[in-house]
Amino acid sequence: MKLLLALLCSTVAAASTTNVNNSGFENISERTKLPVGWGYTSLPGQSDLVQYKVTTVPGDESSKALAITVSSNHPDQRVAYNAFQDVPGIESGKTYKVSARVQTRGLETMPMVAVQCIDQTGKKYLGFARTPERKLQQDIKEWQSVETMVTVPAGTAKFRLRAGIPAQGNAGGTAILDDITVTEVESK
């Protein structure tokens, strides 16, 4: 009984995973051939500057991942291409860890996951978190994890999850993303 009481009274870090739709990119639309549950960004009228496609996971051909390739003739401008979705069930005041597994081919910078906390009007950004920018010296051929933490500000109505790659310096390169999670991290 004393042990149980001690466990209940001690500080415990707990975690629970939220509902990211199609987090492993396994469910594919027959019409678009892209993972369902995600939107995809491109510059207006210049969708040829980025390609989104499903690829098999190297070493596990039964599993899928999302590949984002920046066109080799992409102008050297600051823009990010990403898959995105609004994640339900996020609560203001709570802290979440956002993570993904990544590989790279021909990139100068690490792929990213990011979160935008947006108000009810959809026009005001209340918070933002992004994985740290990191220069790459070589391709990442084995899965690596990228992650960021965010405490959701009061008034957040939408928790927009983004996973992708900045275009600047990455022309001709590919980011491979898989297993994107949003995990609540709470202390008791």
Side-chain angles (χ1 to χ4, degrees):
M1 182 68 173
K2 285 185 182 181
L3 180 58
L4 179 60
L5 185 56
L7 286 172
L8 290 174
C9 292
S10 67
T11 302
V12 177
S16 63
T17 303
T18 61
N19 190 21
V20 175
N21 186 14
N22 199 12
S23 65
F25 303 107
E26 301 298 324
N27 300 319
I28 310 302
S29 165
E30 291 205 20
R31 184 180 63 81
T32 65
K33 306 298 184 220
L34 291 172
V36 297
W38 293 90
Y40 304 92
T41 63
S42 64
L43 292 173
Q46 297 179 322
S47 61
D48 61 324
L49 293 178
V50 62
Q51 178 187 29
Y52 296 92
K53 73 176 188 174
V54 174
T55 186
T56 56
V57 172
D60 182 6
E61 277 58 37
S62 65
S63 184
K64 296 177 179 64
L66 178 67
I68 303 172
T69 302
V70 178
S71 171
S72 60
N73 64 344
H74 198 287
D76 196 31
Q77 66 188 98
R78 192 161 175 83
V79 61
Y81 294 111
N82 54 78
F84 66 92
Q85 66 173 269
D86 292 340
V87 179
I90 302 298
E91 296 180 38
S92 296
K94 293 194 175 184
T95 300
Y96 297 88
K97 178 174 79 170
V98 181
S99 64
R101 293 188 322 148
V102 300
Q103 292 186 18
T104 66
R105 306 294 184 267
L107 296 179
E108 290 184 17
T109 57
M110 188 70 145
M112 63 176 181
V113 289
V115 172
Q116 297 167 309
C117 298
I118 306 168
D119 77 348
Q120 197 160 15
T121 69
K123 296 178 182 177
K124 185 175 180 185
Y125 293 90
L126 304 174
F128 178 80
R130 180 192 187 280
T131 52
E133 289 188 38
R134 186 174 115 199
K135 292 283 185 191
L136 297 174
Q137 302 301 316
Q138 60 191 23
D139 286 348
I140 298 171
K141 295 183 180 182
E142 300 295 324
W143 290 111
Q144 281 190 20
S145 182
V146 294
E147 64 182 48
T148 190
M149 302 280 279
V150 62
T151 300
V152 180
T156 297
K158 288 183 184 176
F159 186 90
R160 183 151 302 148
L161 169 63
R162 296 185 177 276
I165 185 69
Q168 192 169 33
N170 287 319
T174 299
I176 303 169
L177 302 138
D178 201 12
D179 299 329
I180 299 174
T181 62
V182 176
T183 307
E184 179 186 340
V185 180
E186 59 180 90
S187 293
K188 292 185 179 182

